[in-house]
């Protein structure tokens, strides 16, 4: 791993650490510490998501035209201002505006950082680079949340201001780190999109790219079925149908992060030389098993301990699937992108993710009111993931589906010609 990539990954981890400081406590901060109530806290989350949805459609073109480095720096400064303002705000309007800026900044950073990693890697090293990014993010989030939980005190608003201030500083650290990175030329997989002079550019060309459109659909289903349910529908199912306590839910979330941190590089060795479409299909099957186990926890036939164990195992299995997806999905998006459109493709995928997360809470009424139907729906959705992944495999070139087949030529050092004996030259001509 080169020096540029090491700096990128370190900055990414520090930013995740700062985010982990604040995200778990945002609801408590707005509703209780500032005394604005649950509606204001919910509105802050909506503003956070709205900021992402507003900014992302325009991000890709800017990345491709200006390069990812200035976009990361600008987004980091905006997020820093939003975080600091959020920690100092006491009224509803300032909090909503701060959440809007913070959400937009964080969202824009995702595709811009992904493009930085693409530019600093090759098709054959990209898998490991994105796996390391995901590992560092989860490690930073976990440590940040753990330490932040020891600092916050509902009776002292200043403790929350300190947390948001630390988050703001971490964003500025990322901006400083990225400013020092020298961007090399990024090797890409040629002919990612069939040549079509009438296809246009930007969104129009991407939407004519069948493999990418199918990947966007698959990405939406994945993010809705997994990430979109973690803190909404699945949590509602656990507390209402399975009788899971809040502390057990905390253990389940910790098991998810722990599974990712422990399994990431073991999983990487198993998947990096295999077809991406089949890896994603296997994730769908693993998550099918996770939803079946979750359903067992809600049947009420066993002890409370068994239900808690099954629920924690569900989150751990989701973590295993996430560890398999991290070196698969993001590199595939990059390898599908034609030259000059990596930012556009990364931004489109980030936008789909945000839309899926925004719609995730739709599962709450079903998880709380019709728990077994909820489980059945997401078992079917997980099987759908496996089916869609195998369908996408038919649209990919061999190198796009299995990047280990890529052979990126390494430029040779120029060698000064060396004069050889005349006898050797004559013998070579005779042999010829």
């Amino acid at each position: 791993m080169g020096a540029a990539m090491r700096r990128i990954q370190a900055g990414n981890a520090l930013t995740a650490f700062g985010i982990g400081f604040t995200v778990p406590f945002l609801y408590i901060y707005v509703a209780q510490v500032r005394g604005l109530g649950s509606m204001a806290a919910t509105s802050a989350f909506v503003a956070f998501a709205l900021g992402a949805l507003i900014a992302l459609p325009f991000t890709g073109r800017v990345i491709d035209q200006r390069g990812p480095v200035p976009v990361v720096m600008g987004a980091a400064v905006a997020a820093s201002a939003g975080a600091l303002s959020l920690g100092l705000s006491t009224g509803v309007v300032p909090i909503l505006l701060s959440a809007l800026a913070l959400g937009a900044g964080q969202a824009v950073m995702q595709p811009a950082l992904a493009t930085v990693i693409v530019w600093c890697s090759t098709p054959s090293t990209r898998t490991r680079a994105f796996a390391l990014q995901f590992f560092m993010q989860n490690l930073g989030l976990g440590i940040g949340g753990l330490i932040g939980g020891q600092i916050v005190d509902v009776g002292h608003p200043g403790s929350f201001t300190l947390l948001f201030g630390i988050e703001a500083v971490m964003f500025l650290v990322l901006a400083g780190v990225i400013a020092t990175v020298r961007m090399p030329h990024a090797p890409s997989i040629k002919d990612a999109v069939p040549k079509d002079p009438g296809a246009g550019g930007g969104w129009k060309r991407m939407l004519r790219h069948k493999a990418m459109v199918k990947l966007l659909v698959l990405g939406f289903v994945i993010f809705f079925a997994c990430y979109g349910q973690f803190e909404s529908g699945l949590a509602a199912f656990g507390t209402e149908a399975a009788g899971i306590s809040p502390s057990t839910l905390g253990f389940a979330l910790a098991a998810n992060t722990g599974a990712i941190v422990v399994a990431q590089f073991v999983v990487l060795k198993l998947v990096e030389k295999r077809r991406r479409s089949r890896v994603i299909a296997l994730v769908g099957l693993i998550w099918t098993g996770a939803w079946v186990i979750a359903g067992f926890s809600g049947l009420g036939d066993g002890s409370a301990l068994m239900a808690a164990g099954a629920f924690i195992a569900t989150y751990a299995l989701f973590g295993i699937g996430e560890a398999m997806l991290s070196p698969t999905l993001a590199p595939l998006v990059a390898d599908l992108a034609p030259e000059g459109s990596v930012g556009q493709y990364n931004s489109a995928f980030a936008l789909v993710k945000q839309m899926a997360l925004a719609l995730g809470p739709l599962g709450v009424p079903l998880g709380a009111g019709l728990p077994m139907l909820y489980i059945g729906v997401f078992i079917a959705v997980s099987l759908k993931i496996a089916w869609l992944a195998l369908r996408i495999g038919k649209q990919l070139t061999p190198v796009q589906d299995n990047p280990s087949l890529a052979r990126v030529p390494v430029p040779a050092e120029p060698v000064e010609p060396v004069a050889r004996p005349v006898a050797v030259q004559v013998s070579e001509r005779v042999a010829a």
Side-chain angles (χ1 to χ4, degrees), residues 251-252 255-256 259 286 289-291 293-294 306-320:
F251 279 119
N256 175 261
I286 291 173
W291 285 107
I293 293 173
M306 290 179 63
F311 198 72
I312 291 171
T314 298
Y315 274 75
L317 282 174
F318 273 118
I320 299 295

Side-chain angles (χ1 to χ4, degrees), residues 232-249 297 311 364 367-368:
S232 57
L234 188 54
F237 168 84
T239 54
E240 295 293 335
I244 300 299
S245 66
S247 62
T248 300
L249 180 59
S297 72
F311 198 72
V364 171

Side-chain angles (χ1 to χ4, degrees), residues 27-310:
Y27 184 91
I28 296 173
Y29 171 70
V30 177
Q32 299 180 19
V33 176
R34 295 305 185 192
L36 299 175
S38 60
M39 283 299 295
T42 303
S43 298
F45 282 106
V46 172
F48 190 88
L50 187 61
L53 295 175
I54 291 173
L56 281 171
F58 309 100
T59 301
R61 178 169 293 184
V62 178
I63 293 173
D64 291 328
Q65 290 178 346
R66 304 293 182 183
V69 169
V71 176
V72 173
M73 294 175 63
V77 171
S80 178
L84 184 60
S85 176
L86 194 57
L88 296 173
S89 298
T90 57
V92 174
V93 173
I95 283 177
L96 294 182
L97 292 176
S98 301
L100 195 72
L102 181 58
Q106 284 192 33
V108 170
M109 273 190 285
Q110 293 177 25
L113 277 172
T115 305
V116 170
I117 292 175
V118 171
W119 282 24
C120 291
S121 62
T122 67
S124 58
T125 62
R126 207 160 284 156
T127 296
R128 186 165 290 271
F130 277 101
L132 180 60
Q133 182 202 30
F134 190 69
F135 172 82
M136 297 297 283
Q137 279 181 338
N138 280 275
L139 189 62
L141 287 170
I143 295 175
L146 183 64
I147 296 176
Q150 308 307 310
I151 295 175
V152 295
D153 184 348
V154 176
H156 293 82
S159 65
F160 287 85
T161 302
L162 175 62
L163 291 192
F164 285 106
I166 293 173
E167 181 183 27
V169 170
M170 291 299 101
F171 285 128
L172 294 180
V173 168
L174 174 64
V177 168
I178 293 296
T180 67
V181 174
R182 294 181 62 185
M183 301 299 294
H185 175 71
S188 60
I189 294 177
K190 294 184 178 181
D191 300 322
V193 181
K195 298 293 186 295
D196 182 0
W203 285 95
K204 185 177 180 181
R205 177 170 62 173
M206 186 187 67
L207 293 175
R208 290 171 64 96
H209 187 182
K210 292 182 180 179
M212 184 59 189
V213 171
K214 288 183 178 181
L215 185 60
L216 291 174
V217 172
L218 174 60
F220 180 87
V221 176
I222 286 173
F223 293 124
F224 179 76
C226 175
Y227 300 92
Q229 302 307 310
F230 271 5
E231 297 176 2
S232 57
L234 188 54
F237 168 84
T239 54
E240 295 293 335
I244 300 299
S245 66
S247 62
T248 300
L249 180 59
F251 279 119
L253 291 168
N256 175 261
T257 301
I260 292 169
V261 171
V262 171
Q264 182 64 83
F265 293 103
V266 175
V267 167
L268 178 62
K269 291 182 179 180
L270 297 176
V271 306
E272 64 180 341
K273 293 187 178 180
R274 287 172 170 78
R275 293 176 61 178
R276 287 165 166 167
S277 57
R278 293 185 180 180
V279 171
I280 300 171
L282 179 58
V283 171
L285 296 180
I286 291 173
W287 285 357
T288 299
W291 285 107
V292 170
I293 293 173
F296 171 78
S297 72
L299 289 176
D301 294 335
S303 65
L305 183 62
M306 290 179 63

Side-chain angles (χ1 to χ4, degrees), residues 384-403:
K384 183 77 170 181
I385 290 172
W387 180 77
L388 286 172
L390 294 177
R391 287 283 304 275
I392 285 177
K394 298 177 182 179
Q395 299 281 330
L396 305 177
T397 66
V399 173
Q400 287 171 342
D401 204 14
N402 187 351

Side-chain angles (χ1 to χ4, degrees), residues 404-427:
S404 65
L405 300 176
R407 294 291 181 267
V408 179
V410 180
E413 293 292 331
V415 179
E416 293 294 332
V418 178
R420 292 177 294 171
V422 175
V424 175
Q425 297 178 22
V426 171
S427 66

